Amino acid sequence: MRFVNIPILTILLGLIGGIAITDVIVPSFLFVISSSLCMLATLTIHYLLATKRYAFHHGILFHIGLTSVAVGMLITYLHTPTYNPKHYTQKLNTNEYYTLEAEVIELISQTNYGTTFKANLLTANHNNTEGKILCFFPSQTITNDVKALVPTDRLIFVGKYTLIPPPKNPYQFNYKRYMERKGVLGRAEVITFSIVKNNKVGFMGNIEKMRSHLTAVINQNFNRESAALLNTLLLGKRSDLDENIYQQYVDAGAVHILAISGLHVGIITSILLFFLQKIPNTLLSYRLIRYLILSIGLWAFALIAGSSPSVLRATLMFNLIGFSLLIRDKGGRFDSLMLSMLFLLLINPFYLYDVGFQLSYAAVFSILTFYPIALRWWFPENKYVRYIWSLVAVGFTAQIVVIPISLYYFHQFPILFFVSNLVVVPLLQPILIGGIIALCLGGLDILPYPIIFILEKLITLMNILVAFIAHQEMFIIRNIPFTTPLLLSSLVIVLVLIIFVHYRKYKVLVALLVSVLLFQGVLFYHKYQLETTEEMLVFSKYKDKII
């Protein structure tokens, strides 16, 4: 079986390259559109010639790569809000007051200072405008009407418009850049407002209303701690999750279960397959029925779970794997992973910068590469030992590619992550199954108390075990300096290691040793810079004096 589909890989890498280039260089629309059309036209001619004469096959992969780069630049340009002449950044002046109308998208945060919603801006001073904006309600303006806001509700308010400020301290989290990559550039502080309930909503509006109703069902039936975790695991709503509990999952190396991704979609798939096992898997018509029911169930879960990049990746990948099984295609095991990534980046190129998106794909790619090797190394005959070994192997193999990215973003490493997998994953399955049953019955107002009691006890047990692991401070390495050069050089090691796993040749081994030396060189240079650089920093603190 082939290792990877080279044309798909070429298109994907070219697309990623085009997205990354546009983040560094801001090309004109004329250059982007003309280069894309030119490359597509010449590639079409090249392909037609290649079908006629074999000699024209030379260079076609390079041509595909260049075309993909041009297309990546084009889709990034089209998805950049500031290039839209109707966007509010082109029409509004900062630090000025406007009468604005917006449609609520989702709740972003609730703090002691106030509540923030993300909304689609519709008008400014009664002039049509577009773009996603943050609507901030200071604590003194919050009423029961604000607390009852749901997606698709209309806000008409007077607000002070500002751009999202950049970080004031070095090495601080860049919230401005984070929101820009989600299509949000500005913020409006609400002074006075009125709310108009929107009764005519589209498909996604109905989905958001259903999500809000299910959130209310969970909050009304479960205690606060259990409700917050169920909202996170089932609906992708983490705003009510206690920060201390979230940090405990981070310290225990189990934070991945709080982001709905492949693990959750895999469990949902196994539940659906359990109910579909009576349908034969022999004739094409029966396989098609199974595939359609499975696809509808997975996409329904993806929509209810909030359609985050990680859940979209997992759902799309499982659908592609199911389609390949439907047509009995024996493609490479990475094809579905690459195709799902390609489709998502075409839909929204800024998914590339989403941390969950990066970690999700890195983990799956790492498991697909190294997990079969771990099973070949040892395959226990006892089914219970095999189950424990599979959990340990999945945890370790996922970390091989994830570690560099995780260190770059979080600067810490929990050594006991494999213990967390052994504890959390077995508890997660009954919690998810029970949670789905609770949502279905709660939506019909017939949720029995025994289900509530069992779920609350399982969640409490999981939180206690995670907290115990997180409190083992000696097994958590914190404050690890990991710069962009260190990230890139470590990923080079991982890439060459993957190639060596599949093609065990002397030249690849030499390349692996050279990549390790490169990483050591970058590490020594970074250490040298730290020891020889002197600087004085005066930090900024909100509404407080440092000096």
mmCIF file with all atom_site columns, all heavy atoms in Angstrom, residues 36 40 56 107 141-142 155 203-204 241 295 356 362 369 496:
data_model
loop_
_atom_site.group_PDB
_atom_site.id
_atom_site.type_symbol
_atom_site.label_atom_id
_atom_site.label_alt_id
_atom_site.label_comp_id
_atom_site.label_asym_id
_atom_site.label_entity_id
_atom_site.label_seq_id
_atom_site.pdbx_PDB_ins_code
_atom_site.Cartn_x
_atom_site.Cartn_y
_atom_site.Cartn_z
_atom_site.occupancy
_atom_site.B_iso_or_equiv
_atom_site.pdbx_formal_charge
_atom_site.auth_seq_id
_atom_site.auth_comp_id
_atom_site.auth_asym_id
_atom_site.auth_atom_id
_atom_site.pdbx_PDB_model_num
ATOM 1   N N   . SER A 1 36  ? -3.690  33.715 -10.210 1.00 0.00 ? 36  SER A N   1
ATOM 2   C CA  . SER A 1 36  ? -4.500  32.502 -10.022 1.00 0.00 ? 36  SER A CA  1
ATOM 3   C C   . SER A 1 36  ? -5.093  32.043 -11.351 1.00 0.00 ? 36  SER A C   1
ATOM 4   O O   . SER A 1 36  ? -5.012  30.849 -11.704 1.00 0.00 ? 36  SER A O   1
ATOM 5   C CB  . SER A 1 36  ? -5.619  32.755 -9.010  1.00 0.00 ? 36  SER A CB  1
ATOM 6   O OG  . SER A 1 36  ? -5.103  33.095 -7.756  1.00 0.00 ? 36  SER A OG  1
ATOM 7   N N   . LEU A 1 40  ? -4.074  28.579 -13.295 1.00 0.00 ? 40  LEU A N   1
ATOM 8   C CA  . LEU A 1 40  ? -5.113  27.575 -13.585 1.00 0.00 ? 40  LEU A CA  1
ATOM 9   C C   . LEU A 1 40  ? -5.204  27.290 -15.079 1.00 0.00 ? 40  LEU A C   1
ATOM 10  O O   . LEU A 1 40  ? -5.357  26.128 -15.495 1.00 0.00 ? 40  LEU A O   1
ATOM 11  C CB  . LEU A 1 40  ? -6.464  28.062 -13.056 1.00 0.00 ? 40  LEU A CB  1
ATOM 12  C CG  . LEU A 1 40  ? -6.654  28.026 -11.529 1.00 0.00 ? 40  LEU A CG  1
ATOM 13  C CD1 . LEU A 1 40  ? -7.910  28.780 -11.126 1.00 0.00 ? 40  LEU A CD1 1
ATOM 14  C CD2 . LEU A 1 40  ? -6.732  26.581 -11.036 1.00 0.00 ? 40  LEU A CD2 1
ATOM 15  N N   . PHE A 1 56  ? 5.287   15.316 -21.493 1.00 0.00 ? 56  PHE A N   1
ATOM 16  C CA  . PHE A 1 56  ? 4.757   16.480 -20.808 1.00 0.00 ? 56  PHE A CA  1
ATOM 17  C C   . PHE A 1 56  ? 4.409   16.207 -19.339 1.00 0.00 ? 56  PHE A C   1
ATOM 18  O O   . PHE A 1 56  ? 3.966   17.112 -18.627 1.00 0.00 ? 56  PHE A O   1
ATOM 19  C CB  . PHE A 1 56  ? 3.507   17.000 -21.542 1.00 0.00 ? 56  PHE A CB  1
ATOM 20  C CG  . PHE A 1 56  ? 3.817   17.681 -22.847 1.00 0.00 ? 56  PHE A CG  1
ATOM 21  C CD1 . PHE A 1 56  ? 3.580   17.033 -24.055 1.00 0.00 ? 56  PHE A CD1 1
ATOM 22  C CD2 . PHE A 1 56  ? 4.352   18.954 -22.867 1.00 0.00 ? 56  PHE A CD2 1
ATOM 23  C CE1 . PHE A 1 56  ? 3.867   17.655 -25.252 1.00 0.00 ? 56  PHE A CE1 1
ATOM 24  C CE2 . PHE A 1 56  ? 4.643   19.594 -24.063 1.00 0.00 ? 56  PHE A CE2 1
ATOM 25  C CZ  . PHE A 1 56  ? 4.406   18.932 -25.268 1.00 0.00 ? 56  PHE A CZ  1
ATOM 26  N N   . LEU A 1 107 ? -22.202 34.109 22.631  1.00 0.00 ? 107 LEU A N   1
ATOM 27  C CA  . LEU A 1 107 ? -21.626 34.697 23.838  1.00 0.00 ? 107 LEU A CA  1
ATOM 28  C C   . LEU A 1 107 ? -20.131 34.385 23.856  1.00 0.00 ? 107 LEU A C   1
ATOM 29  O O   . LEU A 1 107 ? -19.722 33.238 23.672  1.00 0.00 ? 107 LEU A O   1
ATOM 30  C CB  . LEU A 1 107 ? -22.304 34.108 25.077  1.00 0.00 ? 107 LEU A CB  1
ATOM 31  C CG  . LEU A 1 107 ? -21.703 34.480 26.436  1.00 0.00 ? 107 LEU A CG  1
ATOM 32  C CD1 . LEU A 1 107 ? -21.912 35.954 26.738  1.00 0.00 ? 107 LEU A CD1 1
ATOM 33  C CD2 . LEU A 1 107 ? -22.305 33.618 27.541  1.00 0.00 ? 107 LEU A CD2 1
ATOM 34  N N   . THR A 1 141 ? -24.667 47.935 32.820  1.00 0.00 ? 141 THR A N   1
ATOM 35  C CA  . THR A 1 141 ? -25.723 47.950 31.795  1.00 0.00 ? 141 THR A CA  1
ATOM 36  C C   . THR A 1 141 ? -26.424 46.599 31.658  1.00 0.00 ? 141 THR A C   1
ATOM 37  O O   . THR A 1 141 ? -27.400 46.487 30.917  1.00 0.00 ? 141 THR A O   1
ATOM 38  C CB  . THR A 1 141 ? -25.142 48.337 30.419  1.00 0.00 ? 141 THR A CB  1
ATOM 39  O OG1 . THR A 1 141 ? -24.216 47.327 29.995  1.00 0.00 ? 141 THR A OG1 1
ATOM 40  C CG2 . THR A 1 141 ? -24.438 49.678 30.476  1.00 0.00 ? 141 THR A CG2 1
ATOM 41  N N   . ILE A 1 142 ? -25.930 45.575 32.356  1.00 0.00 ? 142 ILE A N   1
ATOM 42  C CA  . ILE A 1 142 ? -26.471 44.225 32.177  1.00 0.00 ? 142 ILE A CA  1
ATOM 43  C C   . ILE A 1 142 ? -27.817 44.081 32.894  1.00 0.00 ? 142 ILE A C   1
ATOM 44  O O   . ILE A 1 142 ? -27.930 44.352 34.096  1.00 0.00 ? 142 ILE A O   1
ATOM 45  C CB  . ILE A 1 142 ? -25.476 43.166 32.684  1.00 0.00 ? 142 ILE A CB  1
ATOM 46  C CG1 . ILE A 1 142 ? -24.212 43.194 31.818  1.00 0.00 ? 142 ILE A CG1 1
ATOM 47  C CG2 . ILE A 1 142 ? -26.096 41.766 32.637  1.00 0.00 ? 142 ILE A CG2 1
ATOM 48  C CD1 . ILE A 1 142 ? -23.115 42.292 32.305  1.00 0.00 ? 142 ILE A CD1 1
ATOM 49  N N   . LEU A 1 155 ? -29.779 43.472 18.086  1.00 0.00 ? 155 LEU A N   1
ATOM 50  C CA  . LEU A 1 155 ? -29.407 44.517 19.033  1.00 0.00 ? 155 LEU A CA  1
ATOM 51  C C   . LEU A 1 155 ? -29.429 45.857 18.312  1.00 0.00 ? 155 LEU A C   1
ATOM 52  O O   . LEU A 1 155 ? -28.819 46.002 17.249  1.00 0.00 ? 155 LEU A O   1
ATOM 53  C CB  . LEU A 1 155 ? -27.999 44.279 19.568  1.00 0.00 ? 155 LEU A CB  1
ATOM 54  C CG  . LEU A 1 155 ? -27.801 43.347 20.760  1.00 0.00 ? 155 LEU A CG  1
ATOM 55  C CD1 . LEU A 1 155 ? -26.319 43.145 21.000  1.00 0.00 ? 155 LEU A CD1 1
ATOM 56  C CD2 . LEU A 1 155 ? -28.442 43.933 21.995  1.00 0.00 ? 155 LEU A CD2 1
ATOM 57  N N   . PHE A 1 203 ? -31.512 28.387 8.617   1.00 0.00 ? 203 PHE A N   1
ATOM 58  C CA  . PHE A 1 203 ? -31.144 27.057 9.095   1.00 0.00 ? 203 PHE A CA  1
ATOM 59  C C   . PHE A 1 203 ? -30.172 27.148 10.273  1.00 0.00 ? 203 PHE A C   1
ATOM 60  O O   . PHE A 1 203 ? -30.389 26.540 11.326  1.00 0.00 ? 203 PHE A O   1
ATOM 61  C CB  . PHE A 1 203 ? -30.527 26.248 7.951   1.00 0.00 ? 203 PHE A CB  1
ATOM 62  C CG  . PHE A 1 203 ? -30.010 24.905 8.363   1.00 0.00 ? 203 PHE A CG  1
ATOM 63  C CD1 . PHE A 1 203 ? -30.885 23.876 8.677   1.00 0.00 ? 203 PHE A CD1 1
ATOM 64  C CD2 . PHE A 1 203 ? -28.639 24.679 8.464   1.00 0.00 ? 203 PHE A CD2 1
ATOM 65  C CE1 . PHE A 1 203 ? -30.407 22.634 9.068   1.00 0.00 ? 203 PHE A CE1 1
ATOM 66  C CE2 . PHE A 1 203 ? -28.148 23.442 8.851   1.00 0.00 ? 203 PHE A CE2 1
ATOM 67  C CZ  . PHE A 1 203 ? -29.042 22.412 9.151   1.00 0.00 ? 203 PHE A CZ  1
ATOM 68  N N   . MET A 1 204 ? -29.069 27.926 10.110  1.00 0.00 ? 204 MET A N   1
ATOM 69  C CA  . MET A 1 204 ? -28.075 28.031 11.175  1.00 0.00 ? 204 MET A CA  1
ATOM 70  C C   . MET A 1 204 ? -28.651 28.745 12.397  1.00 0.00 ? 204 MET A C   1
ATOM 71  O O   . MET A 1 204 ? -28.272 28.450 13.530  1.00 0.00 ? 204 MET A O   1
ATOM 72  C CB  . MET A 1 204 ? -26.836 28.768 10.667  1.00 0.00 ? 204 MET A CB  1
ATOM 73  C CG  . MET A 1 204 ? -26.042 27.993 9.633   1.00 0.00 ? 204 MET A CG  1
ATOM 74  S SD  . MET A 1 204 ? -25.594 26.314 10.187  1.00 0.00 ? 204 MET A SD  1
ATOM 75  C CE  . MET A 1 204 ? -24.546 26.679 11.588  1.00 0.00 ? 204 MET A CE  1
ATOM 76  N N   . LEU A 1 241 ? -17.257 26.987 32.199  1.00 0.00 ? 241 LEU A N   1
ATOM 77  C CA  . LEU A 1 241 ? -16.345 26.050 32.860  1.00 0.00 ? 241 LEU A CA  1
ATOM 78  C C   . LEU A 1 241 ? -15.386 26.815 33.764  1.00 0.00 ? 241 LEU A C   1
ATOM 79  O O   . LEU A 1 241 ? -14.747 27.779 33.333  1.00 0.00 ? 241 LEU A O   1
ATOM 80  C CB  . LEU A 1 241 ? -15.563 25.251 31.816  1.00 0.00 ? 241 LEU A CB  1
ATOM 81  C CG  . LEU A 1 241 ? -14.699 24.100 32.343  1.00 0.00 ? 241 LEU A CG  1
ATOM 82  C CD1 . LEU A 1 241 ? -15.567 23.012 32.950  1.00 0.00 ? 241 LEU A CD1 1
ATOM 83  C CD2 . LEU A 1 241 ? -13.832 23.522 31.226  1.00 0.00 ? 241 LEU A CD2 1
ATOM 84  N N   . SER A 1 295 ? -23.716 9.406  8.155   1.00 0.00 ? 295 SER A N   1
ATOM 85  C CA  . SER A 1 295 ? -23.314 10.771 7.795   1.00 0.00 ? 295 SER A CA  1
ATOM 86  C C   . SER A 1 295 ? -24.266 11.804 8.390   1.00 0.00 ? 295 SER A C   1
ATOM 87  O O   . SER A 1 295 ? -23.832 12.821 8.945   1.00 0.00 ? 295 SER A O   1
ATOM 88  C CB  . SER A 1 295 ? -23.265 10.934 6.272   1.00 0.00 ? 295 SER A CB  1
ATOM 89  O OG  . SER A 1 295 ? -22.283 10.109 5.706   1.00 0.00 ? 295 SER A OG  1
ATOM 90  N N   . GLY A 1 356 ? -6.533  24.643 17.953  1.00 0.00 ? 356 GLY A N   1
ATOM 91  C CA  . GLY A 1 356 ? -7.234  23.356 17.988  1.00 0.00 ? 356 GLY A CA  1
ATOM 92  C C   . GLY A 1 356 ? -7.122  22.614 16.666  1.00 0.00 ? 356 GLY A C   1
ATOM 93  O O   . GLY A 1 356 ? -6.959  21.384 16.642  1.00 0.00 ? 356 GLY A O   1
ATOM 94  N N   . ALA A 1 362 ? -2.323  17.377 13.905  1.00 0.00 ? 362 ALA A N   1
ATOM 95  C CA  . ALA A 1 362 ? -1.023  16.841 14.308  1.00 0.00 ? 362 ALA A CA  1
ATOM 96  C C   . ALA A 1 362 ? -1.186  15.527 15.074  1.00 0.00 ? 362 ALA A C   1
ATOM 97  O O   . ALA A 1 362 ? -0.436  14.558 14.837  1.00 0.00 ? 362 ALA A O   1
ATOM 98  C CB  . ALA A 1 362 ? -0.283  17.864 15.171  1.00 0.00 ? 362 ALA A CB  1
ATOM 99  N N   . THR A 1 369 ? 0.661   7.462  11.869  1.00 0.00 ? 369 THR A N   1
ATOM 100 C CA  . THR A 1 369 ? 2.034   7.107  11.499  1.00 0.00 ? 369 THR A CA  1
ATOM 101 C C   . THR A 1 369 ? 2.653   6.112  12.472  1.00 0.00 ? 369 THR A C   1
ATOM 102 O O   . THR A 1 369 ? 3.225   5.091  12.059  1.00 0.00 ? 369 THR A O   1
ATOM 103 C CB  . THR A 1 369 ? 2.909   8.373  11.436  1.00 0.00 ? 369 THR A CB  1
ATOM 104 O OG1 . THR A 1 369 ? 2.352   9.295  10.501  1.00 0.00 ? 369 THR A OG1 1
ATOM 105 C CG2 . THR A 1 369 ? 4.328   8.023  10.997  1.00 0.00 ? 369 THR A CG2 1
ATOM 106 N N   . VAL A 1 496 ? 11.431  14.260 9.133   1.00 0.00 ? 496 VAL A N   1
ATOM 107 C CA  . VAL A 1 496 ? 12.449  13.309 8.660   1.00 0.00 ? 496 VAL A CA  1
ATOM 108 C C   . VAL A 1 496 ? 12.275  11.960 9.355   1.00 0.00 ? 496 VAL A C   1
ATOM 109 O O   . VAL A 1 496 ? 12.478  10.902 8.738   1.00 0.00 ? 496 VAL A O   1
ATOM 110 C CB  . VAL A 1 496 ? 13.866  13.875 8.897   1.00 0.00 ? 496 VAL A CB  1
ATOM 111 C CG1 . VAL A 1 496 ? 14.924  12.880 8.406   1.00 0.00 ? 496 VAL A CG1 1
ATOM 112 C CG2 . VAL A 1 496 ? 14.032  15.203 8.166   1.00 0.00 ? 496 VAL A CG2 1
#
